[in-house]
Amino acid sequence: MSMRIGYGWDSHAFEAGLPLKIGGITIDHPEGLAGHSDGDVLLHAITDALLGALAVGDIGSFFPPGDPRWKNADSAIFLNLALEELQTAGYRIVNVDTTLVLAAPKIGPISGDMRQRVAELLDILPTAVGIKAKTPEGMGLNHVAQAHAVVLLEAIDDTDGISLLEAEIDDPKTVEKVVSELVGEGRGGGKSRRMVPLPEFDTEDIT
Ligand code: MG
């Protein structure tokens, strides 16, 4: 089984009056993270970890910060592109682990919601998502949020699907599902695992 590891890091400064989005959820806080997009530092780090695991570049090479199309963009769009790359390469996520570094707000009370949302966005189980948080003790970075992320990928093994097909051949619905998954994997690496719809515009032309 072929496996790959990826690492991503990002930081954004807090700015008064902006909505705060971290890990795909909106958090009640007097300041938000400034950025060309919605500033979701955690989703950016995870996106870079996925792209890094595939060695296909980084978030900036796919989404140049000066491009007006990504002004205030939902960072789930960036994550979706990384998931497309993942599927094209024929890999799936084993697990993701992350650490947020920020002075406020406290992440503990909302880490469950964040974990659930990140899992939904990645189409994996919440048990495969680690969300941890630290304060930037001694770093003098109380107005900055940083995020670190690591991902582990494994190659999609078509023989898994074939053995499932053989084992449950008497159930037509299962056969149909397995065949469509295998065909999907052959074309683009298991698109049937996707829960999050792709953005309507074509992201291929900005690489
Ligand atoms: Mg960023």
Side-chain angles (χ1 to χ4, degrees), residues 135-207:
T135 52
E137 294 297 324
M139 295 175 71
L141 291 172
N142 286 356
H143 250 74
V144 173
Q146 300 174 71
H148 301 261
V150 289
V151 301
L152 184 65
L153 309 181
E154 67 178 359
I156 295 166
D157 186 351
D158 282 358
T159 58
D160 290 349
I162 290 166
S163 50
L164 181 63
L165 190 64
E166 286 169 347
E168 303 185 34
I169 197 84
D170 55 325
D171 179 355
K173 280 196 171 160
T174 302
V175 172
E176 196 178 316
K177 181 171 175 289
V178 171
V179 168
S180 85
E181 282 181 358
L182 287 173
V183 169
E185 282 170 11
R187 278 202 311 261
K191 279 189 188 301
S192 59
R193 286 176 59 77
R194 171 177 298 285
M195 282 174 62
V196 182
L198 288 171
E200 287 180 4
F201 40 77
D202 181 9
T203 56
E204 295 297 324
D205 63 345
I206 58 155
T207 54

Coordinates of all heavy atoms in Angstrom, one line a residue, residues 135-207:
T135 N -1.7 28.2 23.1 CA -1.5 29.7 23.1 C 0.0 30.0 22.8 O 0.9 29.2 23.1 CB -1.8 30.3 24.5 OG1 -1.1 29.6 25.5 CG2 -3.3 30.2 24.8
P136 N 0.2 31.1 22.2 CA 1.6 31.4 21.7 C 2.5 32.0 22.8 O 3.0 33.1 22.7 CB 1.4 32.5 20.6 CG 0.1 33.1 21.0 CD -0.7 32.2 21.7
E137 N 2.6 31.2 23.9 CA 3.4 31.7 25.1 C 4.8 32.1 24.7 O 5.5 31.4 24.0 CB 3.5 30.5 26.1 CG 2.2 30.1 26.7 CD 1.5 31.2 27.5 OE1 2.3 31.9 28.2 OE2 0.3 31.2 27.5
G138 N 5.1 33.3 25.1 CA 6.5 33.8 24.9 C 6.8 34.2 23.4 O 8.0 34.5 23.2
M139 N 5.9 34.1 22.5 CA 6.2 34.4 21.1 C 5.9 35.8 20.7 O 6.2 36.2 19.6 CB 5.5 33.4 20.2 CG 5.9 31.9 20.4 SD 5.0 30.8 19.4 CE 5.6 31.1 17.8
G140 N 5.1 36.5 21.6 CA 4.7 37.9 21.2 C 3.8 37.9 20.0 O 3.9 38.9 19.2
L141 N 3.0 36.9 19.8 CA 2.1 36.8 18.7 C 0.6 36.7 19.1 O -0.1 36.0 18.5 CB 2.5 35.6 17.8 CG 3.9 35.6 17.1 CD1 4.2 34.3 16.5 CD2 3.9 36.7 16.1
N142 N 0.3 37.6 20.0 CA -1.1 37.5 20.5 C -2.2 38.0 19.5 O -3.4 37.9 19.8 CB -1.2 38.3 21.8 CG -0.6 37.5 23.0 OD1 -0.1 36.4 22.8 ND2 -0.5 38.2 24.1
H143 N -1.7 38.7 18.4 CA -2.7 39.1 17.5 C -2.6 38.4 16.1 O -3.0 38.9 15.1 CB -2.5 40.6 17.2 CG -3.7 41.4 17.8 ND1 -3.8 41.6 19.2 CD2 -4.8 42.0 17.2 CE1 -4.9 42.3 19.4 NE2 -5.5 42.5 18.2
V144 N -2.1 37.2 16.3 CA -2.0 36.3 15.1 C -2.5 34.9 15.4 O -2.4 34.4 16.5 CB -0.4 36.2 14.7 CG1 -0.2 35.2 13.6 CG2 0.1 37.6 14.3
A145 N -3.1 34.3 14.4 CA -3.5 32.9 14.5 C -2.7 32.1 13.5 O -2.5 32.5 12.3 CB -5.0 32.7 14.1
Q146 N -2.1 31.0 14.0 CA -1.3 30.1 13.2 C -2.0 28.7 13.2 O -2.6 28.4 14.2 CB 0.1 30.0 13.7 CG 0.9 31.3 13.8 CD 2.3 31.0 14.4 OE1 3.2 30.4 13.9 NE2 2.4 31.5 15.6
A147 N -1.7 28.0 12.1 CA -2.3 26.6 12.1 C -1.2 25.7 11.4 O -0.6 26.1 10.4 CB -3.5 26.6 11.2
H148 N -1.0 24.6 12.0 CA -0.2 23.5 11.5 C -1.1 22.3 11.2 O -2.0 22.0 12.0 CB 0.9 23.1 12.5 CG 1.8 24.2 13.0 ND1 3.0 24.4 12.5 CD2 1.6 25.1 13.9 CE1 3.6 25.4 13.1 NE2 2.8 25.9 14.0
A149 N -0.8 21.6 10.1 CA -1.6 20.5 9.7 C -0.7 19.4 9.1 O 0.2 19.7 8.3 CB -2.7 20.9 8.7
V150 N -0.9 18.2 9.5 CA -0.3 17.0 8.8 C -1.4 16.1 8.3 O -2.4 15.9 9.0 CB 0.7 16.2 9.7 CG1 2.0 17.0 9.9 CG2 0.1 15.8 11.0
V151 N -1.2 15.5 7.2 CA -2.1 14.5 6.6 C -1.4 13.3 6.2 O -0.2 13.3 5.8 CB -2.9 15.1 5.4 CG1 -3.7 16.3 5.7 CG2 -2.0 15.3 4.2
L152 N -2.1 12.1 6.4 CA -1.6 10.9 5.9 C -2.5 10.4 4.8 O -3.7 10.4 5.0 CB -1.5 9.8 7.0 CG -0.8 8.5 6.6 CD1 0.6 8.7 6.2 CD2 -0.9 7.5 7.7
L153 N -2.0 10.0 3.6 CA -2.8 9.5 2.5 C -2.4 8.1 2.2 O -1.3 7.7 2.4 CB -2.5 10.4 1.2 CG -2.6 11.9 1.3 CD1 -2.3 12.5 -0.1 CD2 -3.9 12.3 1.8
E154 N -3.4 7.4 1.7 CA -3.0 6.0 1.2 C -3.6 5.9 -0.2 O -4.6 6.5 -0.6 CB -3.6 4.9 2.1 CG -5.1 4.8 2.1 CD -5.6 3.7 3.0 OE1 -4.8 3.0 3.6 OE2 -6.8 3.6 3.1
A155 N -2.9 5.1 -1.1 CA -3.4 4.9 -2.4 C -4.7 4.1 -2.4 O -4.8 3.2 -1.5 CB -2.3 4.1 -3.2
I156 N -5.6 4.4 -3.2 CA -6.8 3.7 -3.3 C -6.5 2.3 -4.0 O -5.9 2.3 -5.1 CB -7.9 4.4 -4.1 CG1 -8.3 5.7 -3.4 CG2 -9.1 3.6 -4.4 CD1 -9.1 6.7 -4.2
D157 N -6.9 1.2 -3.4 CA -6.5 -0.1 -3.9 C -7.8 -0.7 -4.5 O -8.7 -1.1 -3.8 CB -6.0 -0.9 -2.8 CG -5.5 -2.3 -3.3 OD1 -5.7 -2.6 -4.4 OD2 -4.9 -3.0 -2.5
D158 N -7.8 -0.8 -5.8 CA -9.0 -1.3 -6.5 C -9.3 -2.8 -6.1 O -10.5 -3.2 -6.2 CB -8.8 -1.3 -8.0 CG -9.0 0.1 -8.5 OD1 -9.3 1.0 -7.7 OD2 -8.8 0.3 -9.7
T159 N -8.3 -3.5 -5.6 CA -8.6 -4.9 -5.3 C -9.6 -5.0 -4.1 O -10.3 -5.9 -3.9 CB -7.4 -5.7 -4.9 OG1 -6.7 -5.0 -3.9 CG2 -6.5 -5.8 -6.2
D160 N -9.6 -3.9 -3.2 CA -10.5 -3.9 -2.1 C -12.0 -3.9 -2.6 O -12.8 -4.6 -2.1 CB -10.4 -2.6 -1.3 CG -9.1 -2.5 -0.5 OD1 -8.4 -3.6 -0.4 OD2 -8.7 -1.4 0.0
G161 N -12.2 -3.1 -3.7 CA -13.5 -3.1 -4.3 C -13.9 -4.4 -4.9 O -15.1 -4.8 -4.8
I162 N -12.9 -5.0 -5.6 CA -13.2 -6.3 -6.2 C -13.6 -7.4 -5.2 O -14.6 -8.1 -5.4 CB -12.0 -6.7 -7.1 CG1 -11.9 -5.8 -8.3 CG2 -12.1 -8.2 -7.6 CD1 -10.6 -5.9 -9.0
S163 N -12.9 -7.4 -4.1 CA -13.2 -8.5 -3.1 C -14.6 -8.2 -2.5 O -15.3 -9.1 -2.2 CB -12.1 -8.6 -2.0 OG -11.8 -7.3 -1.5
L164 N -14.9 -6.9 -2.3 CA -16.2 -6.6 -1.8 C -17.3 -7.0 -2.8 O -18.3 -7.6 -2.4 CB -16.3 -5.0 -1.5 CG -17.6 -4.5 -0.9 CD1 -17.9 -5.1 0.4 CD2 -17.6 -3.0 -0.8
L165 N -17.0 -6.8 -4.0 CA -17.9 -7.2 -5.1 C -18.2 -8.7 -5.0 O -19.3 -9.2 -5.1 CB -17.3 -6.8 -6.4 CG -18.2 -6.9 -7.7 CD1 -19.4 -5.9 -7.6 CD2 -17.4 -6.6 -8.9
E166 N -17.1 -9.4 -4.9 CA -17.2 -10.9 -4.8 C -18.0 -11.4 -3.6 O -18.8 -12.3 -3.7 CB -15.8 -11.6 -4.8 CG -15.2 -11.5 -6.2 CD -13.7 -11.9 -6.1 OE1 -13.2 -11.9 -5.0 OE2 -13.1 -12.1 -7.2
A167 N -17.8 -10.7 -2.5 CA -18.4 -11.1 -1.2 C -19.8 -10.8 -1.2 O -20.6 -11.6 -0.6 CB -17.6 -10.4 -0.1
E168 N -20.3 -9.7 -1.8 CA -21.7 -9.3 -1.7 C -22.4 -9.3 -3.0 O -23.2 -8.5 -3.3 CB -21.7 -8.0 -1.0 CG -21.0 -8.0 0.4 CD -21.1 -6.7 1.1 OE1 -22.2 -6.1 1.0 OE2 -20.2 -6.4 1.8
I169 N -22.0 -10.2 -3.9 CA -22.5 -10.2 -5.2 C -24.1 -10.5 -5.3 O -24.7 -10.1 -6.2 CB -21.8 -11.3 -6.1 CG1 -22.0 -11.1 -7.6 CG2 -22.2 -12.7 -5.7 CD1 -21.0 -10.1 -8.1
D170 N -24.6 -11.0 -4.2 CA -26.0 -11.3 -4.2 C -26.9 -10.1 -3.9 O -28.1 -10.1 -4.1 CB -26.4 -12.4 -3.1 CG -25.8 -12.0 -1.8 OD1 -24.8 -11.4 -1.7 OD2 -26.5 -12.4 -0.8
D171 N -26.3 -9.0 -3.6 CA -27.0 -7.8 -3.3 C -26.9 -6.8 -4.5 O -25.8 -6.2 -4.6 CB -26.6 -7.1 -2.0 CG -27.3 -5.8 -1.7 OD1 -28.1 -5.4 -2.5 OD2 -27.1 -5.3 -0.6
P172 N -27.9 -6.7 -5.4 CA -27.7 -5.9 -6.6 C -27.3 -4.4 -6.3 O -26.5 -3.8 -7.0 CB -29.1 -5.9 -7.3 CG -29.8 -7.1 -6.6 CD -29.2 -7.3 -5.3
K173 N -27.9 -3.8 -5.2 CA -27.6 -2.4 -4.9 C -26.1 -2.3 -4.5 O -25.5 -1.3 -4.9 CB -28.5 -1.9 -3.7 CG -29.8 -1.6 -4.2 CD -30.6 -0.7 -3.2 CE -31.9 -0.2 -3.8 NZ -32.8 0.2 -2.8
T174 N -25.6 -3.3 -3.8 CA -24.2 -3.2 -3.4 C -23.3 -3.3 -4.6 O -22.3 -2.6 -4.8 CB -23.8 -4.3 -2.4 OG1 -24.7 -4.2 -1.3 CG2 -22.4 -4.2 -1.9
V175 N -23.7 -4.2 -5.5 CA -22.9 -4.4 -6.7 C -22.8 -3.1 -7.5 O -21.8 -2.6 -8.0 CB -23.5 -5.5 -7.6 CG1 -22.8 -5.6 -9.0 CG2 -23.4 -6.9 -6.9
E176 N -24.0 -2.5 -7.7 CA -24.1 -1.2 -8.4 C -23.2 -0.2 -7.8 O -22.5 0.6 -8.5 CB -25.6 -0.8 -8.4 CG -25.9 0.3 -9.4 CD -27.4 0.6 -9.4 OE1 -28.2 -0.3 -9.2 OE2 -27.7 1.8 -9.4
K177 N -23.2 -0.1 -6.4 CA -22.5 0.9 -5.7 C -21.0 0.7 -5.9 O -20.2 1.6 -6.2 CB -22.8 0.9 -4.2 CG -22.1 1.9 -3.4 CD -22.7 1.9 -2.0 CE -21.9 2.8 -1.0 NZ -20.6 2.3 -0.7
V178 N -20.6 -0.6 -5.8 CA -19.1 -0.9 -5.9 C -18.6 -0.6 -7.3 O -17.6 0.0 -7.5 CB -18.9 -2.4 -5.5 CG1 -17.4 -2.8 -5.8 CG2 -19.1 -2.6 -4.0
V179 N -19.5 -1.0 -8.3 CA -19.1 -0.8 -9.7 C -18.9 0.7 -10.0 O -17.9 1.1 -10.6 CB -20.1 -1.5 -10.7 CG1 -19.8 -1.0 -12.1 CG2 -20.0 -3.0 -10.6
S180 N -19.9 1.5 -9.5 CA -19.8 2.9 -9.8 C -18.6 3.5 -9.1 O -18.0 4.4 -9.6 CB -21.1 3.6 -9.4 OG -21.1 3.9 -8.0
E181 N -18.2 3.0 -7.9 CA -17.1 3.5 -7.2 C -15.8 3.1 -8.0 O -14.9 3.9 -8.1 CB -17.0 3.0 -5.8 CG -17.9 3.7 -4.8 CD -17.8 3.2 -3.4 OE1 -17.1 2.2 -3.2 OE2 -18.6 3.7 -2.5
L182 N -15.8 1.9 -8.5 CA -14.6 1.5 -9.2 C -14.4 2.3 -10.5 O -13.3 2.7 -10.8 CB -14.7 0.0 -9.5 CG -14.5 -1.0 -8.3 CD1 -14.8 -2.4 -8.8 CD2 -13.0 -0.9 -7.8
V183 N -15.5 2.5 -11.2 CA -15.5 3.3 -12.4 C -15.0 4.7 -12.1 O -14.2 5.3 -12.8 CB -16.8 3.3 -13.1 CG1 -16.9 4.3 -14.2 CG2 -17.1 1.9 -13.7
G184 N -15.6 5.2 -11.0 CA -15.2 6.6 -10.6 C -13.7 6.7 -10.2 O -13.0 7.6 -10.6
E185 N -13.2 5.6 -9.6 CA -11.8 5.6 -9.2 C -10.9 5.6 -10.4 O -9.9 6.2 -10.5 CB -11.5 4.5 -8.3 CG -11.9 4.7 -6.8 CD -11.9 3.5 -6.0 OE1 -11.3 2.5 -6.4 OE2 -12.4 3.5 -4.9
G186 N -11.4 4.8 -11.4 CA -10.6 4.7 -12.7 C -10.5 6.0 -13.4 O -9.5 6.4 -13.9
R187 N -11.6 6.8 -13.3 CA -11.6 8.1 -14.0 C -10.9 9.1 -13.2 O -10.1 9.9 -13.7 CB -13.0 8.5 -14.3 CG -13.7 7.9 -15.5 CD -14.8 8.7 -16.0 NE -15.7 9.1 -14.9 CZ -16.8 8.4 -14.6 NH1 -17.2 7.4 -15.3 NH2 -17.6 8.8 -13.6
G188 N -11.3 9.2 -12.0 CA -10.7 10.4 -11.2 C -10.4 10.1 -9.8 O -10.2 11.0 -9.0
G189 N -10.4 8.8 -9.4 CA -10.0 8.5 -8.1 C -11.1 8.6 -7.0 O -10.9 9.2 -5.9
G190 N -12.2 8.0 -7.3 CA -13.2 7.8 -6.2 C -14.0 9.1 -5.9 O -14.2 9.5 -4.8
K191 N -14.6 9.7 -7.0 CA -15.4 10.9 -6.8 C -16.6 10.7 -5.9 O -17.1 11.6 -5.3 CB -15.8 11.5 -8.1 CG -14.7 12.3 -8.8 CD -15.2 13.0 -10.0 CE -14.1 13.7 -10.8 NZ -13.4 14.7 -10.1
S192 N -17.0 9.4 -5.8 CA -18.3 9.1 -5.0 C -18.1 9.4 -3.6 O -19.0 9.5 -2.8 CB -18.7 7.7 -5.3 OG -17.7 6.8 -4.9
R193 N -16.8 9.6 -3.1 CA -16.6 9.8 -1.7 C -16.8 11.3 -1.4 O -16.9 11.7 -0.2 CB -15.1 9.5 -1.3 CG -14.8 8.0 -1.2 CD -13.4 7.8 -1.0 NE -12.9 8.4 0.3 CZ -13.2 7.9 1.5 NH1 -13.9 6.8 1.6 NH2 -12.8 8.5 2.6
R194 N -16.9 12.1 -2.4 CA -17.1 13.6 -2.2 C -18.4 13.9 -1.6 O -19.5 13.5 -2.1 CB -16.9 14.3 -3.5 CG -17.2 15.8 -3.4 CD -16.9 16.4 -4.7 NE -15.5 16.3 -5.1 CZ -14.6 17.1 -4.5 NH1 -14.9 17.9 -3.6 NH2 -13.3 16.9 -4.9
M195 N -18.5 14.7 -0.5 CA -19.7 15.2 0.0 C -19.9 16.7 -0.4 O -21.0 17.2 -0.5 CB -19.7 15.1 1.5 CG -20.0 13.7 2.0 SD -19.8 13.6 3.8 CE -21.1 14.8 4.3
V196 N -18.8 17.4 -0.5 CA -18.9 18.9 -0.7 C -19.0 19.1 -2.2 O -18.2 18.6 -2.9 CB -17.7 19.6 -0.1 CG1 -17.8 21.0 -0.3 CG2 -17.5 19.2 1.3
P197 N -20.0 19.8 -2.6 CA -20.1 20.1 -4.1 C -19.0 21.0 -4.6 O -18.5 21.9 -3.8 CB -21.5 20.8 -4.2 CG -21.8 21.3 -2.9 CD -21.1 20.4 -1.9
L198 N -18.6 20.8 -5.8 CA -17.5 21.6 -6.3 C -18.1 23.0 -6.6 O -19.2 23.1 -6.9 CB -17.0 20.9 -7.6 CG -16.2 19.7 -7.4 CD1 -15.9 19.0 -8.8 CD2 -14.8 20.0 -6.8
P199 N -17.2 24.0 -6.6 CA -17.7 25.3 -7.0 C -18.1 25.3 -8.5 O -17.6 24.5 -9.3 CB -16.4 26.2 -6.8 CG -15.3 25.3 -6.8 CD -15.8 24.0 -6.2
E200 N -19.0 26.2 -8.8 CA -19.6 26.1 -10.2 C -18.6 26.6 -11.2 O -18.6 26.1 -12.4 CB -20.9 27.0 -10.2 CG -22.0 26.3 -9.5 CD -23.3 27.2 -9.5 OE1 -23.3 28.2 -10.2 OE2 -24.2 26.7 -8.9
F201 N -17.7 27.5 -10.8 CA -16.7 27.9 -11.8 C -15.6 26.9 -12.0 O -15.4 26.1 -11.2 CB -16.2 29.3 -11.4 CG -15.9 29.4 -10.0 CD1 -14.7 28.8 -9.4 CD2 -16.7 30.0 -9.1 CE1 -14.5 28.8 -8.1 CE2 -16.4 30.1 -7.8 CZ -15.3 29.5 -7.3
D202 N -14.9 27.1 -13.1 CA -13.8 26.2 -13.5 C -12.5 26.6 -12.8 O -12.0 27.7 -13.1 CB -13.7 26.1 -15.0 CG -12.6 25.2 -15.4 OD1 -12.0 24.5 -14.5 OD2 -12.2 25.2 -16.6
T203 N -12.0 25.8 -11.9 CA -10.8 26.2 -11.2 C -9.5 25.8 -11.9 O -8.4 26.1 -11.5 CB -10.8 25.7 -9.8 OG1 -10.9 24.3 -9.9 CG2 -11.9 26.2 -8.9
E204 N -9.7 25.0 -13.0 CA -8.6 24.4 -13.7 C -7.7 25.5 -14.4 O -6.6 25.3 -14.6 CB -9.0 23.4 -14.8 CG -9.7 22.2 -14.2 CD -8.8 21.4 -13.3 OE1 -7.6 21.3 -13.6 OE2 -9.3 20.9 -12.3
D205 N -8.4 26.6 -14.7 CA -7.7 27.6 -15.6 C -6.8 28.6 -14.8 O -6.2 29.5 -15.4 CB -8.7 28.4 -16.4 CG -9.6 29.2 -15.6 OD1 -9.6 28.9 -14.3 OD2 -10.3 30.1 -16.0
I206 N -6.6 28.4 -13.5 CA -5.8 29.3 -12.7 C -4.6 28.7 -12.2 O -3.9 29.3 -11.4 CB -6.7 29.9 -11.6 CG1 -7.2 28.8 -10.7 CG2 -7.8 30.8 -12.1 CD1 -7.4 29.4 -9.3
T207 N -4.3 27.5 -12.5 CA -3.1 26.8 -12.0 C -1.8 27.4 -12.5 O -1.8 28.0 -13.6 CB -3.1 25.3 -12.3 OG1 -3.2 25.2 -13.7 CG2 -4.2 24.7 -11.6

